[in-house]
Amino acid sequence: MPKSNDELMMDTMYWWGIPTLFRCPHKSDPLECDIALVGVPHSTGNGTTERNQHLGPRAVRHVSAGLRRVHLDFNINPWEKKIIHDLGDVPLPEANNNEKCIEDITNFYEKIAKSNKPVVSIGGDHSITGGILQ
């Protein structure tokens, strides 16, 4: 069934709705997608949050709301070829405890690894890499 004019209008308003990476559907189950997008709002790897790297995932969600890049030379449109979901942010309830955050990141990514899905991560500071790779 074709979309109404109102639905088409709302789809094109990049600032409307719940912010997700590239306006992908938000679903927390990695088994429901081909490619997972994850935010990792962490910035205490350097001992402080004053540099605000934890705001990175939110900022990228905002900026990417109007973007869906397509490779023009190779005519590859990943949005049509794969099911891509934003799984949300890694929950970090003890945000100022770096060791606990790395443990939480590792546990979050274990679930994705068990589903055998590729994941694109938006951080955070450089310390998130260790938790992701574990």
Side-chain angles (χ1 to χ4, degrees), residues 27-49:
K27 302 207 177 188
S28 59
D29 185 357
L31 292 173
E32 295 182 28
C33 65
D34 298 321
I35 300 172
L37 307 175
V38 175
V40 190
H42 176 63
S43 63
T44 58
N46 58 16
T48 180
T49 59

Side-chain angles (χ1 to χ4, degrees), residues 14-31:
Y14 76 90
W15 45 264
W16 178 84
I18 297 169
T20 60
L21 293 162
F22 301 98
R23 294 194 73 174
C24 291
H26 169 64
K27 302 207 177 188
S28 59
D29 185 357
L31 292 173

Side-chain angles (χ1 to χ4, degrees), residues 47-100:
T48 180
T49 59
E50 72 184 34
R51 293 188 183 135
N52 293 327
Q53 296 101 325
H54 60 283
L55 301 176
R58 182 167 293 209
V60 173
R61 282 187 176 96
H62 175 72
V63 170
S64 73
L67 303 172
R68 283 203 172 181
R69 305 273 317 255
V70 175
H71 197 291
L72 298 177
D73 291 340
F74 295 107
N75 197 27
I76 297 171
N77 184 343
W79 317 105
E80 291 176 355
K81 292 187 177 292
K82 298 290 182 180
I83 299 169
I84 305 171
H85 289 167
D86 185 334
L87 302 186
D89 287 343
V90 175
L92 301 169
E94 295 183 47
N96 289 321
N97 180 339
N98 187 57
E99 284 70 31
K100 180 66 174 138

